[in-house]
Amino acid sequence: MNELNFIFFIKHPEQTYIQAHQHGCCELVYYFQGDGITQIGSRQHTFREGTFALISPHVLHDENHKSEESEVICIGFHSGYPGMKDLNSVFEDDEDRTIGQFLLRMKREFTEQREGYSEMLDLMVAELIIHLQRLLRIHVMPPTQEDQMQYVINFMDEHFQQNISVETLATMSGYSYDRFRHLFKEKTGAAPLRYLFLKRLELAKSLLLNTKMLVSEIASETGFINDAQFCSIFKRETGLTPKTFRNKFV
């Protein structure tokens, strides 16, 4: 699965500091102009014109732009390609600026927003991965079945608020429906649907305690079919209705 999450072009004045932050997806930051230092995880890297940073999901990173105005394109994306994991560094583009030129094409596609632009951008993410693979000489072993199962779990952790069928997850894993359910429970201790419900309930608890959202709004926000299903599962798992839970702990 290759999917674009965000893309934006920004100019930073000199001596701009971007505080440490993280994303739930991969990020590529391309520096068309400017120089400075970025900390990705526990390591510092320098950047300059014609370099780009690759950051894995949930890795803290900042930017300290130094001597001149910087021009940057940032894209966030999901990719199922294993070679994109744990790169977390700054890399040099080739002399033809292959990566930079391709990102400008993506920027134009996003800006013009012609028919089908969203699908086109997802396809362009897949092409970008190939360009990166060629430039960085990324060679990895084909994913094992264990890797595929972990990929499915990662996907569920990222998209648990969406309507996901067990059939779809089984297809993603490469196993039959019954084999997938068995191996998933063996690995996580819960059946696939129960795993999704528990993820939704954790988010629901947080929203009940930290917001004033209505129960029906929380049910919709967390991915339940309706508030009746939400209340039923919530009480089954906690012994309390959502309203009772809120009143008891707030």
Side-chain angles (χ1 to χ4, degrees), residues 7-198:
I7 179 169
F8 60 88
F9 180 81
I10 190 168
K11 293 184 178 182
H12 295 297
E14 59 181 282
Q15 305 302 323
T16 296
Y17 176 67
I18 309 299
Q19 291 187 340
H21 59 286
Q22 59 182 310
H23 305 282
C25 58
C26 297
E27 185 181 25
L28 188 155
V29 182
Y30 194 98
Y31 304 98
F32 287 93
Q33 181 178 308
D35 64 281
I37 296 173
T38 177
Q39 176 143 342
I40 304 173
S42 60
R43 298 186 61 186
Q44 278 196 343
H45 307 270
T46 59
F47 62 82
R48 62 184 184 281
E49 180 181 342
T51 64
F52 59 92
L54 283 171
I55 304 111
S56 297
H58 309 297
V59 173
L60 282 172
H61 55 286
D62 67 4
E63 285 179 351
N64 195 350
H65 296 267
K66 294 288 189 178
S67 59
E68 60 177 308
E69 182 179 74
S70 299
E71 295 184 2
V72 176
I73 281 184
C74 301
I75 74 164
F77 61 96
H78 290 285
S79 173
Y81 181 63
M84 293 306 300
K85 294 180 180 178
D86 303 322
L87 292 174
N88 295 318
S89 188
V90 172
F91 303 92
E92 187 92 32
D93 203 353
D94 60 25
E95 60 183 19
D96 295 325
R97 296 290 195 264
T98 299
I99 304 300
Q101 291 302 312
F102 189 79
L103 292 173
L104 290 175
R105 283 177 54 200
M106 292 184 72
K107 177 192 172 189
R108 284 196 298 273
E109 184 69 33
F110 179 77
T111 302
E112 293 172 2
Q113 297 196 359
R114 293 177 291 175
E115 183 177 357
Y117 79 96
S118 180
E119 292 81 2
M120 178 63 76
L121 285 168
D122 289 343
L123 291 172
M124 294 179 83
V125 169
E127 185 176 346
L128 174 64
I129 300 302
I130 295 173
H131 287 307
L132 290 170
Q133 180 182 2
R134 291 174 176 175
L135 177 67
L136 304 178
R137 304 293 191 272
I138 303 171
H139 296 292
V140 297
M141 296 295 290
T144 64
Q145 289 182 322
E146 178 69 18
D147 292 333
Q148 284 298 101
M149 184 60 75
Q150 187 57 53
Y151 171 71
V152 172
I153 293 171
N154 293 344
F155 176 84
M156 294 168 74
D157 289 345
E158 194 77 25
H159 300 280
F160 65 89
Q161 294 160 268
Q162 299 177 15
N163 183 19
I164 306 171
S165 70
V166 177
E167 290 83 355
T168 297
L169 296 171
T171 300
M172 290 172 61
S173 73
Y175 293 105
S176 69
Y177 177 84
D178 289 335
R179 183 64 174 160
F180 167 72
R181 291 177 71 249
H182 173 76
L183 291 175
F184 187 91
K185 187 170 184 179
E186 188 176 82
K187 185 175 180 65
T188 66
L193 280 180
R194 177 171 167 77
Y195 184 90
L196 285 172
F197 286 149
L198 292 176

